[in-house]
């Protein structure tokens, strides 16, 4: 049976008490110099069964992690055989609601830290359904919105206000939160020029990039077999039609500007691509994303810790 979320802990996460209590690190340096809280003993958390399952599936790519405090630990990517191997921190919570709440608290606290450290928080957000609840929760968090710039990771080529547009749902979910959203210009007549212009508007680094994961292993609009996967000379590019729409997307070089990636992955249909992602499987598009640090936040269903499926055998 899936573990229940630790309500006490989640409540604490939703009410950040300031950076000094967060054990927060930014660009490798602790912002919390007075932190005394020790690490919890491995395996004592309510997620340990899920984590153990993923460790078996994914081998060395998975790291057991304390909820939240350690999630901010920035781990520098290593260069191995010319490739930048990303170490994924993995956090499993009970369900999509817990994913949304934990993610919103994470984003809010990172925003506070970045604004305090360098005056601005640059945040690139993906589409899909999974982040809607997180954005809605974020609107009620303590976020220094006047210093936040929200960029799009990807967008469908469709009219303004179209329900297929990621922007439509982003704005709806954020509600009255006064976020500056720098929208992808997917209605321009010359889409190649528009993509290039969006690329020029991107910051040198993103403080945070949110990514999702499709059942086919796609992330952003980096979709299997599309030539966009090989684009290395542009920050923003266009895809062939995929699931009904041509798309504009950040490319791998743009995503590599992320100081921190936050993956939000929920649902049983993500089990296989999730295990591939954390194993560093570069045969799926998501497995080729590079970033300075990566937190994979997932629910029990995606981590294969849901209720037993009909006909499933219990282990002996
Ligand atoms: O098509 C897309 O799907 C992925 C995954 O979405 P999700 O709702 O299954 O999490 C998303 O990350 C991407 O931005 C979007 O264009």
């Amino acid at each position: 049976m899936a573990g229940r979320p630790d309500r006490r802990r989640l409540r604490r996460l939703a009410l950040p008490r300031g950076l000094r209590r967060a054990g927060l690190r930014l660009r490798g340096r602790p912002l919390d110099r007075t932190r005394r809280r020790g690490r919890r003993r491995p395996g004592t958390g309510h997620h340990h069964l899920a984590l153990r399952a993923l460790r078996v599936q994914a081998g060395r790519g998975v790291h057991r992690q304390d909820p939240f405090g350690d999630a901010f630990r920035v781990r520098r990517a290593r260069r191995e055989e010319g490739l930048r191997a990303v170490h994924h921190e993995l956090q499993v919570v009970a369900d999509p609601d817990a994913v949304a709440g934990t993610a919103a608290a994470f984003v809010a606290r990172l925003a506070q830290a970045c604004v305090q450290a360098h005056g601005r928080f640059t945040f690139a957000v993906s589409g899909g359904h999974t982040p809607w609840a997180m954005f809605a929760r974020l609107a009620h968090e303590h976020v220094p919105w006047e210093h936040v710039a929200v960029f799009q990771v990807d967008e469908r080529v469709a009219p303004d206000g179209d329900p297929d547009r990621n922007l439509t749902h982003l704005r709806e979910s954020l509600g009255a939160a006064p976020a500056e959203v720098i929208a992808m210009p997917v209605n321009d007549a010359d889409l190649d020029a528009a993509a290039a212009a969006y690329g020029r508007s991107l910051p040198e680094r993103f403080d945070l990039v949110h990514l999702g994961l499709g059942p086919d292993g796609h992330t952003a609009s980096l979709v299997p077999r599309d030539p966009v996967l090989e684009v290395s000379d542009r920050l923003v590019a266009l895809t062939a039609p995929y699931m009904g729409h041509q798309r504009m997307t950040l490319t791998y070089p743009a995503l590599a500007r992320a100081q921190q990636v936050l993956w939000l992955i929920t649902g049983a249909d993500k089990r296989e691509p999730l295990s591939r992602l954390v194993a560093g499987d570069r045969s799926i598009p998501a497995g080729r994303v590079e970033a300075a640090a990566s937190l994979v936040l997932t629910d029990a269903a995606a981590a294969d810790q849901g209720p037993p499926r009909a006909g499933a055998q219990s282990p002996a």
Side-chain angles (χ1 to χ4, degrees), residues 126-130 154 156 166 212-214 218 220-221 247 264 270:
S126 292
H129 293 63
T130 312
D154 67 329
R156 292 165 176 79
N166 295 333
L213 180 65
H218 85 268
S221 285
R247 293 149 180 247
L264 299 188
K270 307 291 176 67

Side-chain angles (χ1 to χ4, degrees), residues 145-224:
W145 289 112
E146 65 278 18
H147 302 295
V148 176
V150 179
F151 295 84
Q152 288 190 277
V153 166
D154 67 329
E155 182 59 288
R156 292 165 176 79
V157 176
D160 280 345
D162 192 294
D164 286 344
R165 285 283 296 274
N166 295 333
L167 183 66
T168 306
H169 299 285
L170 174 65
R171 289 213 160 112
E172 265 174 29
S173 308
L174 283 174
E180 182 201 0
V181 178
I182 298 103
M184 280 186 156
V186 291
N187 291 143
D188 284 20
D190 183 342
L191 284 174
D192 287 317
Y198 198 72
R200 287 191 295 275
S201 78
L202 298 180
E204 277 305 308
R205 42 166 272 170
F206 290 111
D207 294 311
L208 180 64
V209 172
H210 150 253
L211 292 174
L213 180 65
D216 60 358
H218 85 268
T219 191
S221 285
L222 300 169
V223 299

